[in-house]
Structure formats: structure tokens, C-alpha cells
Amino acid sequence: MLEKRYDFLAVEQKWQDYWNEQKIFKFAPKKNQKVYSIDTPPPTVNGKIHVGHLSSYTHIEIMARHKRMMGEAVYFPFGYDDNGLPTERYVEKKNKIKAYEMQRHEFIELCLKEAHELEKDFYKLYKTGGFSCELDNTYSSISQNTQKISQKSFLDLLEKGYIYHAESPVLWCTECRTAVAQSELDTQELESVFNHIKFYIEGSKKFATVATTRPEMLPACVCVFVNPNDKKNAHLVGKNLVVPHFGFSVPVLTDDLVQIDKGSGIVMCCTFGDNVDKEWQRKHNLPIKECFNNGGIMTALAGEFKGMHISKARGAIIARLKEEDLLIKQEPIIHAVATHERCGTPIEIAVKKQWFIDVLTHKKQIYQAGLDLNWYPESMRARFLNWVENLQWNWCISRQRFFGVSFPVWFCEGCGKVITAKKEDLPINPLIDKPKTACACGSKNFTPEYDVMDTWATSSLTPQLSLDLITGEGLSDTMIPMSLRPNAHDNIRVWDFYTVVKSLYHFGKLPWTDLMISGFITSGDGGKLGKSKGNTDLTPQEVISKYSADVTRYWAGGLSLGRDTCFALDAFDNGKKLLNKIWNASRFVLSFLEGYKPRAVKLMPIDEWLIAKFEKLQSKFIEFMDRYDIALALNELEKFFWDFCDNYIEIVKDRLYKPEIHGEKEKESAQFSAYTVLNGLLKLFSPFMPHITEEVYMHAFAQDENAKSLHMSLYANIKKQDYSIIEKGNELVAIVQEIRKKKSLAQVSMKAKIASVAIKSNNLDFIKSAEKDLIAVGSIEAITYEKGEFFAEIGEIVKE
RNA sequence: GGGAGUAUAGCUCAGUUGGUAGAGCGCCUGCCUUACAAGCAGGUGGUCGUAGGUUCGAGUCCUACUGCUCCCACCA
């Protein structure tokens, strides 16, 4: 017998340990078995875990368990993304240090140590959440093996000509002192000032007014632009203007991009103040002037302002312009500024020698991949396509940082040539290892590449990383495309995009066939629950220990894909009720199944009705699940389950209790259908609530099915039923409901007797077959039947 | 400015191929019914954002508009 109360803490722990010990979820495909492989998101190891993690991983989890129950071999790997800037930023903040102020190897060791600590928390969370990924066979994005795979990828793309090394304007973070990629930008509304400044025409007392928000860029001014159709300023074209305070002259050129009615219609171009400057530099072949260094400190170009930080120089230069009567007016404005997502610092554009992966010339191919992938929900496709269409920068993969994968590259000191490592020697660290042979020019002296790779250059290889855990090198691409890439919508332009690029370039194939995109869990005020922000009260561990993993999963399973959801505890209360109901319904049904072994019997029509309804529900459920409509599948399942409890069980209750009145065969018929449907229901609920369903299943059904775990069994195999019986049975339920209504309105007990019920129906055979059940459930004294359109007239309540 | 999502009961939301508006919570009225009072039965509550259109029939499809949210662009 099952205990009266369900003790979720003990039960969940018990089965988690059992699954672990028995290796229930280990990937072990049988011959010809269909494989369902998941490119699991490796959590970014950079801070606290939040409930958003729980919900998105639960979606993946539910799909993994569903596919197992469908008989597929599920590969559900796990890994940690612990390389790169996110982890570095976390370590710097936590220890109040700056990477560039430390010994490189000391900083790297510290990162490894901190990452390892954080990973323990993730491990614990995924285990107590009942997640069925392979937690004990994981990859780490900083491991030696990962570095090997990542360096190989680099060499492969370099060979194929997708990667190039060039001095070029890049997006630069002066706080992190590294180049960053377009996808790492945030937009912030910042207060600023539009400064109208006098540029004197060379050799004249007249001046042109230039409006700028970035006066500190004046020393890097290379020219001034006006629109070619601007009549008002046409007289300036071809003349030279004197850059205020700094005193050097720049030419006035024309370009269509200048908006005639914005500011004075005269724009200064500095290399580089913004994106447009970058465009102009290329288009007009302008000189490049850098007025600040890696850390955002003004260079000698800035004269007396040398040594100031950009933000300070701005004020100082304005003050000086005022003194020299070169400032006409100042307008405060609020404008959008691109900032670095990791630190919030406004992004600069600087010219640096960097490694790039060419994406701009392959836009079409990448766009096509967006069309070829299956997106769930479908609307997420547009975000991918939109991003690809709007790409402006090639993917800069070098970072002037420390904790990351090295480039397997040296530069020859003799001729400057790039020397690459041999693939068989990987992984290598160019700072320690040396090329084995001299350069073709004869030189034996090499400078290592000090930069490390962008974290996404490695994360974009997760299909290879996770497949490497099981297939070993070389075999990975036979399992590509993988079945599923799951992630939240913020990663479409980042992780999804980069992985598609890499897969196309390496294999000429899509990395996966399906994408399942979840939404964010937001806090009450609608803000995103960022893992690095930690703005929620309840930690995932607290939620699970308070409500159980099953209830938490129920909550997550009910969320719509792709949509942000406000974190609310209501759904947890519903889940608790459902858990309780599953427990009690199981207890009740099983109390009539002691010693019962299912065997084929002639079923009473109402029992057949139940099985037909269940079969219909199950096929609907599977249909929804297979198209990642998890919430809808759960919804249908729940509806059926409550109906099963409140109607079916109530109707057959008396038959199970009193075979002396109803007959033994009739009792067995009820036993058969209750056995079949409860077992089937446990299986359908199991992806959502794996612990309680396992507890009941192992207690009652596992032996009969010779199964080691519910999660190694399959969904019920029920032959396609005749659904027309469903309508007939529904009439019976309708009669019961009419009787209940009458009693409820009369405010009497459900046990109160009803003198008579007059039933009109065209399915009298069916209804008559359940007469004894009906009499018992309704406490009816007399029933009359008449053929005709369905109607039930409930007689008087008998006063005791 | 470009793209997308969303608007349904007091609240949170579901609504599949177009076919009589749903669930939970809340509120109200009852019921200790040999699984469950952490339960059960019943009830209250909605011109489905606005205006048109297609259709025998529209919450669902089409057009326009409005509110909210997100992504991209916008740094002179």
C-alpha cells in the first residue's frame, strides 16, 4: 500500500539516487533505434543561478523524457561554459581585482577555481530538479580537449579561407580592454549634450558650426562632411576648416549620409567616433587617427589632454572651448548609446589587428539556414532572419583577454608571416610551445599570438563538443545535424547564429533540425531575471525544496514557449494540488488492484468508453509534444485526469467495492480499465512529474512490464479505439452531473436519494448497461427509459 | 525608421483544422461522499482591444487603427 501522505522530499531524493546508480539515462542506442540528440545549452558560469534556468532546462528535460517514452534513444549531454569574458568578469568582481594587474597564469588559475565552485551549484540544481541529462559525463569549454577542438576549428576555417587576420576598425571596450562582437552590444539611453562648436574657415574670420556629442574626438578629426544637395553649406565644399583649439586644418567633403536638417547640417568625421565614421573612413579613404588608447586614455594626439580618460577629457575640452569662445551653445539630449553587455561601458571603435570570421559575404547562405531550420515557436524564425539581414560587422573572434582558448598561431619575427600549429599537436599554447620548424624565411624567432578567442568561437562548437563525449573524434559529424537546439530568445542572434555559421563552414550542414525557444522568467516589475543580476527572492533550490521538483517542473511545463512570463507562485499551488490528486487517485485505484494481473476480459461499455477516451487523449498529447507544444499537451492531460477522477472513478466506485451486487466479471472489467488508464496516465505525466509517477509505477506496474524504471518504459500501446463510443458515455456523465446539480441546489448531501430519473436517449443500450453504476453513484430509486433525443429528467429528492 | 509578439472573466492565462466562449485562483452557496476537506458538488462573473471585411458561421482568417512588450537600426 502507498502511504497516506506523499513525502516528496524523501521520494524525490530516492529516485534521483536510483536513476544515477542505475544509469537510467545513459545514452545507449540499440541497433536501428532512432536517435534524438539535444545540443544542451551549457550554462554560462558567471554567477548565481536563477529560476529562469529552471524553466528553460525543464522544457528540454520534458522533451528528453518524452522522446525516451516514444522509444527513441535520447542523447542529452551536459556541459559548462566556463571560458571567456563572462567568467573573467565574475572573478574580477568577486575578488575585486583586474586581470591585467595580475600575472596571467595566476589569473587563469583563479578563474578555474572559481568556475569549479560555481559548477558544483549547477550540478546540485540539475540533480535535485530531476534532470535526466548526463551530469557525470560533461564537457567544459575551457578543458584541454575543448581547446583542441576549438583550435582545430580555427585552423580548419583558416584553411578554408573563412578566417582572416587584419588591421581593421573593431568594436572596443575600454573597460574590459578588448575587442567585442556586434552581438555583445546592448543599447542604453544615456543623457548627453549636443555641443555646437565653431570651425573657422581657413584664412577667414567666418566660421561653420559643427554640432557634436563627442568633443573629445576633436583631435582625431579628419574631415568635415556636408550633404552634396545642401545649398546652405555648399560654399564650404572644397575649403579647409580649422579644428577648434587644436588648430590643424581638415577638408570639407560631401556625402549623402549627412542629414541636411540635423544639427547644422555639418558633421565632423573622426576616426573613429561612431559607425558612420567607420563607413566614411572606408568610402573616402580617410586617414586614421587614434586619440585614445586601449584603456580609454587620451593619447599624445590630444595634446594637453593626454592622460585623461575619455569621459574626463570631454568636460575638459568643452571648458577650454568655452574659454576660447569657440562654443556657441549646448543642448542636452538623450540618445541611444551602444554599450558592452558585460560591463555597460560605451563602446568605442578602434583600429586593431584582429582575427575575423567572414560572415558578411555569406549572408545569403546563413539566411537560407534560418529558413531551413524548424523554429518552435515559428515566430522566432523572424528574429534570426532579421539579425542576419542587419549584420554590419564580420565576426571578430580575438579578445585581448586571458581566460580563454589560445590561437594556435605565432608570427615570424623575420618576415611577419603567420605560422600555424600542426593539427596533430593541438592543443597548444603559443606562449609556451614553439613552432617545430623554422619559418620559410629562415627565421627561428617567433612572437606568440597573445590574444585569446571569443567565448562564442568555442561555444558555437557545442554540437561537436557534446558529440565528442560519446562518439570520439571524427565520428561527430555523422550525428550532425543534431535533433534539437533549445535556448531562450536572447541567444538567437548569438549562440544560435554562431553555431549555424560554424556548422555551415565546417560541414556544409545545419547543426540541428529543430530549435525550441523559451521565454524569460521576469520578476514582478517585468524585468528580466538575469543570472548576473540576481533580482529574485527565491533561489531555484529554495523553490524546489519548498514545492518539490515535480511541482516546479509542472509550473515550467505550463509556460508557453517563447513568451516571457512573470514569476508567480499561483501555478505552484495548482501543481501541489495535482501532485496530491495523483497520489490519492493512485492510492485508491491500487487498493482494488492488490494481487490483480491484467488479462483480456470483455469490457463493459462504460469501461470501454474510458479507454477510448484515454487513447484519444494520448494521441493528442503525443501530437502536441512532438511539435513542442508542451504546455498544451499538459493542459489536455490535466483535463483528462481530473475528469477521470471526478467522473469515471465515481461512477465505477460502487462496482469495485461491491462485486456481490454488481458481479465479479463486472468488477474485473473496471479493474482492467482502471489499471490500464492509471498506468497510461503515469506514463504521460512522467515527463512532467518524473518522481511521483516513478514511485507509483515502481510500486504497482514495473514488475508486470518487467521495467527497471518508468522512464525506460514506453507510452501505453493501445489499439486505435472506436471514438464513437465517447459520445455515448458522455451522456451518462451528463446524467450524473444533472443529478449532482439538483442535489447541490437543494443543498443536500450527494448521498441523498433521488426518487426517479427519466432518461431519453438514442443510446439506451449503452446507458442501460451502466444502470447499476448509475443507480449507485446517484442514489437513484427508479429509472425509466425512452427512445429519443437525449434528455434526463431528475425526479424529487427523497426526504429522509 | 525596420521586424516580431501580445490584447479573452476581478487576477494569471489556455483556446488545436473557423462550428454553442474555457481552466486555475478569487468570490458566493452547499456537502465530512468507505482515495483525497491539501477534497467534492454547484453558482457568480466575458459586447474575446477598436473599426471594417471574407464566410451559412469569426476569439480564431484578411485590412486598418490603438495600447503594452521585445529585437534591430538610430551616437554627427
Short mmCIF file of all heavy atoms in Angstrom, two decimals, chain A residues 47-89:
data_model
loop_
_atom_site.label_atom_id
_atom_site.label_comp_id
_atom_site.label_asym_id
_atom_site.label_seq_id
_atom_site.Cartn_x
_atom_site.Cartn_y
_atom_site.Cartn_z
N GLY A 47 27.94 33.36 -12.31
CA GLY A 47 27.20 33.97 -11.22
C GLY A 47 26.11 33.08 -10.70
O GLY A 47 26.13 31.88 -10.92
N LYS A 48 25.16 33.70 -10.05
CA LYS A 48 24.11 32.94 -9.39
C LYS A 48 23.17 32.27 -10.39
O LYS A 48 22.99 32.73 -11.51
CB LYS A 48 23.32 33.88 -8.49
CG LYS A 48 24.11 34.29 -7.25
CD LYS A 48 23.27 34.04 -6.00
CE LYS A 48 24.12 34.05 -4.74
NZ LYS A 48 24.44 35.38 -4.26
N ILE A 49 22.58 31.21 -9.94
CA ILE A 49 21.59 30.52 -10.74
C ILE A 49 20.22 31.09 -10.38
O ILE A 49 19.97 31.41 -9.24
CB ILE A 49 21.62 29.02 -10.39
CG1 ILE A 49 23.03 28.48 -10.52
CG2 ILE A 49 20.67 28.25 -11.29
CD1 ILE A 49 23.21 27.11 -9.93
N HIS A 50 19.34 31.25 -11.36
CA HIS A 50 18.03 31.83 -11.07
C HIS A 50 16.92 30.94 -11.61
O HIS A 50 17.19 29.95 -12.31
CB HIS A 50 17.94 33.23 -11.67
CG HIS A 50 18.20 33.27 -13.14
ND1 HIS A 50 17.21 33.09 -14.08
CD2 HIS A 50 19.35 33.41 -13.84
CE1 HIS A 50 17.74 33.15 -15.28
NE2 HIS A 50 19.04 33.32 -15.17
N VAL A 51 15.69 31.28 -11.28
CA VAL A 51 14.58 30.41 -11.65
C VAL A 51 14.38 30.33 -13.16
O VAL A 51 13.76 29.39 -13.66
CB VAL A 51 13.24 30.81 -10.97
CG1 VAL A 51 13.29 30.51 -9.50
CG2 VAL A 51 12.91 32.25 -11.24
N GLY A 52 14.93 31.29 -13.89
CA GLY A 52 14.87 31.21 -15.35
C GLY A 52 15.59 29.98 -15.87
O GLY A 52 15.15 29.33 -16.82
N HIS A 53 16.70 29.64 -15.24
CA HIS A 53 17.43 28.42 -15.61
C HIS A 53 16.49 27.22 -15.48
O HIS A 53 16.46 26.34 -16.34
CB HIS A 53 18.60 28.17 -14.64
CG HIS A 53 19.83 28.93 -14.97
ND1 HIS A 53 20.25 29.99 -14.23
CD2 HIS A 53 20.74 28.77 -15.95
CE1 HIS A 53 21.37 30.46 -14.75
NE2 HIS A 53 21.70 29.74 -15.79
N LEU A 54 15.79 27.20 -14.35
CA LEU A 54 14.90 26.07 -14.08
C LEU A 54 13.88 25.90 -15.18
O LEU A 54 13.67 24.80 -15.66
CB LEU A 54 14.13 26.33 -12.77
CG LEU A 54 14.68 25.78 -11.49
CD1 LEU A 54 13.70 26.03 -10.38
CD2 LEU A 54 14.94 24.29 -11.63
N SER A 55 13.25 26.99 -15.57
CA SER A 55 12.15 26.83 -16.52
C SER A 55 12.66 26.41 -17.89
O SER A 55 12.09 25.52 -18.51
CB SER A 55 11.33 28.11 -16.60
OG SER A 55 11.96 29.05 -17.41
N SER A 56 13.76 27.01 -18.35
CA SER A 56 14.18 26.65 -19.70
C SER A 56 14.76 25.23 -19.75
O SER A 56 14.51 24.49 -20.69
CB SER A 56 15.16 27.67 -20.27
OG SER A 56 16.24 27.85 -19.40
N TYR A 57 15.50 24.84 -18.72
CA TYR A 57 16.02 23.47 -18.71
C TYR A 57 14.91 22.45 -18.54
O TYR A 57 15.00 21.33 -19.03
CB TYR A 57 17.10 23.30 -17.64
CG TYR A 57 18.43 23.78 -18.13
CD1 TYR A 57 18.84 25.07 -17.87
CD2 TYR A 57 19.25 22.97 -18.91
CE1 TYR A 57 20.04 25.55 -18.36
CE2 TYR A 57 20.45 23.44 -19.40
CZ TYR A 57 20.85 24.74 -19.13
OH TYR A 57 22.03 25.20 -19.63
N THR A 58 13.83 22.86 -17.85
CA THR A 58 12.72 21.93 -17.68
C THR A 58 12.07 21.62 -19.02
O THR A 58 11.67 20.50 -19.29
CB THR A 58 11.70 22.50 -16.69
OG1 THR A 58 12.36 22.72 -15.45
CG2 THR A 58 10.55 21.54 -16.48
N HIS A 59 11.97 22.64 -19.88
CA HIS A 59 11.40 22.38 -21.21
C HIS A 59 12.21 21.32 -21.95
O HIS A 59 11.67 20.41 -22.58
CB HIS A 59 11.36 23.67 -22.04
CG HIS A 59 10.28 24.60 -21.60
ND1 HIS A 59 10.44 25.97 -21.54
CD2 HIS A 59 9.01 24.37 -21.19
CE1 HIS A 59 9.33 26.53 -21.12
NE2 HIS A 59 8.45 25.59 -20.90
N ILE A 60 13.51 21.46 -21.87
CA ILE A 60 14.39 20.50 -22.55
C ILE A 60 14.20 19.11 -21.94
O ILE A 60 14.07 18.10 -22.63
CB ILE A 60 15.87 20.92 -22.38
CG1 ILE A 60 16.05 22.38 -22.76
CG2 ILE A 60 16.76 20.02 -23.22
CD1 ILE A 60 17.41 22.94 -22.36
N GLU A 61 14.21 19.12 -20.62
CA GLU A 61 14.05 17.92 -19.83
C GLU A 61 12.78 17.15 -20.21
O GLU A 61 12.78 15.93 -20.42
CB GLU A 61 13.87 18.38 -18.38
CG GLU A 61 14.68 17.71 -17.36
CD GLU A 61 14.54 16.24 -17.38
OE1 GLU A 61 13.54 15.72 -16.89
OE2 GLU A 61 15.45 15.60 -17.90
N ILE A 62 11.70 17.87 -20.30
CA ILE A 62 10.41 17.27 -20.61
C ILE A 62 10.46 16.62 -21.99
O ILE A 62 9.99 15.51 -22.20
CB ILE A 62 9.29 18.33 -20.50
CG1 ILE A 62 9.07 18.67 -19.02
CG2 ILE A 62 8.00 17.84 -21.15
CD1 ILE A 62 8.20 19.89 -18.79
N MET A 63 11.10 17.33 -22.94
CA MET A 63 11.20 16.76 -24.29
C MET A 63 12.08 15.52 -24.28
O MET A 63 11.79 14.54 -24.96
CB MET A 63 11.78 17.80 -25.27
CG MET A 63 10.82 18.88 -25.70
SD MET A 63 9.19 18.27 -26.23
CE MET A 63 9.64 17.33 -27.69
N ALA A 64 13.15 15.54 -23.51
CA ALA A 64 14.04 14.38 -23.45
C ALA A 64 13.28 13.16 -22.94
O ALA A 64 13.34 12.07 -23.52
CB ALA A 64 15.24 14.69 -22.54
N ARG A 65 12.55 13.36 -21.86
CA ARG A 65 11.81 12.23 -21.29
C ARG A 65 10.69 11.77 -22.23
O ARG A 65 10.41 10.58 -22.33
CB ARG A 65 11.25 12.59 -19.92
CG ARG A 65 12.34 12.70 -18.87
CD ARG A 65 11.76 12.79 -17.48
NE ARG A 65 12.77 13.13 -16.50
CZ ARG A 65 13.29 12.27 -15.62
NH1 ARG A 65 12.88 11.03 -15.57
NH2 ARG A 65 14.22 12.67 -14.77
N HIS A 66 10.06 12.72 -22.88
CA HIS A 66 9.01 12.36 -23.83
C HIS A 66 9.57 11.48 -24.95
O HIS A 66 8.99 10.45 -25.29
CB HIS A 66 8.40 13.63 -24.41
CG HIS A 66 7.58 13.40 -25.65
ND1 HIS A 66 6.37 12.73 -25.62
CD2 HIS A 66 7.80 13.74 -26.94
CE1 HIS A 66 5.90 12.66 -26.86
NE2 HIS A 66 6.73 13.25 -27.68
N LYS A 67 10.69 11.89 -25.51
CA LYS A 67 11.25 11.14 -26.63
C LYS A 67 11.68 9.73 -26.19
O LYS A 67 11.58 8.78 -26.96
CB LYS A 67 12.42 11.89 -27.25
CG LYS A 67 12.01 13.17 -27.96
CD LYS A 67 11.20 12.88 -29.23
CE LYS A 67 10.81 14.16 -29.97
NZ LYS A 67 9.98 13.88 -31.15
N ARG A 68 12.15 9.61 -24.95
CA ARG A 68 12.50 8.28 -24.45
C ARG A 68 11.27 7.39 -24.39
O ARG A 68 11.30 6.24 -24.79
CB ARG A 68 13.09 8.38 -23.03
CG ARG A 68 14.53 8.73 -23.02
CD ARG A 68 15.11 8.53 -21.61
NE ARG A 68 16.23 9.45 -21.48
CZ ARG A 68 16.19 10.60 -20.83
NH1 ARG A 68 15.11 10.95 -20.16
NH2 ARG A 68 17.23 11.38 -20.83
N MET A 69 10.16 7.99 -23.92
CA MET A 69 8.92 7.21 -23.81
C MET A 69 8.37 6.86 -25.19
O MET A 69 7.54 5.98 -25.33
CB MET A 69 7.85 7.99 -23.03
CG MET A 69 8.25 8.41 -21.64
SD MET A 69 8.40 7.07 -20.45
CE MET A 69 6.71 6.65 -20.15
N MET A 70 8.83 7.59 -26.20
CA MET A 70 8.42 7.30 -27.57
C MET A 70 9.32 6.24 -28.20
O MET A 70 9.16 5.89 -29.36
CB MET A 70 8.51 8.57 -28.44
CG MET A 70 7.52 9.67 -28.07
SD MET A 70 5.81 9.21 -28.39
CE MET A 70 5.80 9.26 -30.18
N GLY A 71 10.28 5.79 -27.43
CA GLY A 71 11.13 4.71 -27.91
C GLY A 71 12.38 5.16 -28.64
O GLY A 71 13.05 4.36 -29.27
N GLU A 72 12.68 6.45 -28.53
CA GLU A 72 13.89 6.92 -29.20
C GLU A 72 15.07 6.88 -28.23
O GLU A 72 14.89 6.98 -27.02
CB GLU A 72 13.66 8.35 -29.73
CG GLU A 72 12.54 8.38 -30.75
CD GLU A 72 12.25 9.76 -31.32
OE1 GLU A 72 13.12 10.63 -31.28
OE2 GLU A 72 11.12 9.95 -31.81
N ALA A 73 16.26 6.74 -28.77
CA ALA A 73 17.47 6.80 -27.95
C ALA A 73 17.83 8.27 -27.79
O ALA A 73 18.15 8.94 -28.76
CB ALA A 73 18.61 6.05 -28.63
N VAL A 74 17.72 8.75 -26.56
CA VAL A 74 17.91 10.18 -26.35
C VAL A 74 19.32 10.47 -25.87
O VAL A 74 19.77 9.89 -24.89
CB VAL A 74 16.88 10.70 -25.32
CG1 VAL A 74 17.19 12.14 -24.95
CG2 VAL A 74 15.47 10.59 -25.89
N TYR A 75 19.99 11.34 -26.61
CA TYR A 75 21.29 11.80 -26.14
C TYR A 75 21.12 13.20 -25.56
O TYR A 75 20.83 14.15 -26.27
CB TYR A 75 22.32 11.81 -27.28
CG TYR A 75 23.68 12.26 -26.78
CD1 TYR A 75 24.20 11.74 -25.59
CD2 TYR A 75 24.43 13.21 -27.46
CE1 TYR A 75 25.42 12.15 -25.09
CE2 TYR A 75 25.67 13.63 -26.98
CZ TYR A 75 26.15 13.10 -25.79
OH TYR A 75 27.35 13.51 -25.30
N PHE A 76 21.26 13.27 -24.26
CA PHE A 76 21.02 14.52 -23.54
C PHE A 76 22.28 14.86 -22.74
O PHE A 76 22.40 14.53 -21.58
CB PHE A 76 19.81 14.33 -22.61
CG PHE A 76 19.30 15.57 -21.93
CD1 PHE A 76 19.74 16.84 -22.26
CD2 PHE A 76 18.33 15.45 -20.95
CE1 PHE A 76 19.25 17.97 -21.63
CE2 PHE A 76 17.82 16.57 -20.30
CZ PHE A 76 18.29 17.82 -20.64
N PRO A 77 23.25 15.46 -23.43
CA PRO A 77 24.54 15.72 -22.80
C PRO A 77 24.48 16.96 -21.91
O PRO A 77 23.47 17.66 -21.86
CB PRO A 77 25.45 15.97 -23.99
CG PRO A 77 24.55 16.58 -25.01
CD PRO A 77 23.19 15.97 -24.81
N PHE A 78 25.58 17.21 -21.24
CA PHE A 78 25.65 18.40 -20.42
C PHE A 78 27.07 18.95 -20.44
O PHE A 78 28.04 18.21 -20.65
CB PHE A 78 25.23 18.08 -18.98
CG PHE A 78 24.91 19.31 -18.20
CD1 PHE A 78 23.77 20.03 -18.47
CD2 PHE A 78 25.77 19.77 -17.22
CE1 PHE A 78 23.48 21.19 -17.78
CE2 PHE A 78 25.49 20.94 -16.51
CZ PHE A 78 24.34 21.65 -16.79
N GLY A 79 27.18 20.25 -20.25
CA GLY A 79 28.50 20.87 -20.23
C GLY A 79 28.42 22.22 -19.54
O GLY A 79 27.34 22.69 -19.21
N TYR A 80 29.57 22.78 -19.31
CA TYR A 80 29.64 24.10 -18.67
C TYR A 80 30.38 25.06 -19.58
O TYR A 80 31.43 24.72 -20.13
CB TYR A 80 30.42 24.00 -17.35
CG TYR A 80 29.79 23.06 -16.36
CD1 TYR A 80 30.30 21.78 -16.18
CD2 TYR A 80 28.69 23.46 -15.60
CE1 TYR A 80 29.74 20.92 -15.26
CE2 TYR A 80 28.12 22.60 -14.68
CZ TYR A 80 28.65 21.33 -14.51
OH TYR A 80 28.08 20.48 -13.61
N ASP A 81 29.82 26.24 -19.73
CA ASP A 81 30.53 27.26 -20.50
C ASP A 81 31.31 28.11 -19.52
O ASP A 81 30.81 29.07 -18.97
CB ASP A 81 29.55 28.11 -21.30
CG ASP A 81 30.29 28.96 -22.33
OD1 ASP A 81 31.52 28.78 -22.46
OD2 ASP A 81 29.65 29.79 -22.98
N ASP A 82 32.53 27.70 -19.29
CA ASP A 82 33.33 28.36 -18.26
C ASP A 82 34.56 29.03 -18.83
O ASP A 82 35.53 29.27 -18.14
CB ASP A 82 33.72 27.35 -17.17
CG ASP A 82 34.22 26.04 -17.77
OD1 ASP A 82 34.52 26.02 -18.98
OD2 ASP A 82 34.29 25.04 -17.05
N ASN A 83 34.54 29.32 -20.11
CA ASN A 83 35.70 30.02 -20.66
C ASN A 83 35.27 31.42 -21.05
O ASN A 83 34.13 31.67 -21.38
CB ASN A 83 36.32 29.21 -21.82
CG ASN A 83 36.04 29.76 -23.19
OD1 ASN A 83 36.00 30.96 -23.43
ND2 ASN A 83 35.83 28.86 -24.12
N GLY A 84 36.20 32.34 -20.97
CA GLY A 84 35.94 33.63 -21.56
C GLY A 84 35.50 34.73 -20.62
O GLY A 84 35.48 34.59 -19.40
N LEU A 85 35.12 35.82 -21.25
CA LEU A 85 34.86 37.07 -20.55
C LEU A 85 33.81 36.98 -19.46
O LEU A 85 33.99 37.57 -18.39
CB LEU A 85 34.51 38.13 -21.59
CG LEU A 85 34.64 39.59 -21.16
CD1 LEU A 85 35.99 39.86 -20.51
CD2 LEU A 85 34.45 40.49 -22.36
N PRO A 86 32.69 36.27 -19.67
CA PRO A 86 31.70 36.23 -18.59
C PRO A 86 32.29 35.72 -17.28
O PRO A 86 32.05 36.30 -16.23
CB PRO A 86 30.64 35.28 -19.13
CG PRO A 86 30.77 35.36 -20.61
CD PRO A 86 32.23 35.59 -20.87
N THR A 87 33.06 34.65 -17.37
CA THR A 87 33.67 34.11 -16.16
C THR A 87 34.73 35.07 -15.62
O THR A 87 34.82 35.31 -14.42
CB THR A 87 34.29 32.73 -16.45
OG1 THR A 87 33.29 31.89 -17.03
CG2 THR A 87 34.79 32.09 -15.17
N GLU A 88 35.50 35.65 -16.53
CA GLU A 88 36.52 36.61 -16.09
C GLU A 88 35.90 37.78 -15.33
O GLU A 88 36.40 38.18 -14.28
CB GLU A 88 37.29 37.16 -17.29
CG GLU A 88 38.21 36.16 -17.96
CD GLU A 88 39.12 36.84 -18.97
OE1 GLU A 88 39.64 37.93 -18.69
OE2 GLU A 88 39.30 36.27 -20.06
N ARG A 89 34.83 38.30 -15.88
CA ARG A 89 34.16 39.44 -15.23
C ARG A 89 33.67 39.06 -13.84
O ARG A 89 33.79 39.82 -12.89
CB ARG A 89 32.97 39.93 -16.06
CG ARG A 89 33.34 40.62 -17.35
CD ARG A 89 34.03 41.95 -17.16
NE ARG A 89 33.28 42.89 -16.34
CZ ARG A 89 33.70 44.11 -16.04
NH1 ARG A 89 34.84 44.54 -16.50
NH2 ARG A 89 32.98 44.90 -15.27
#
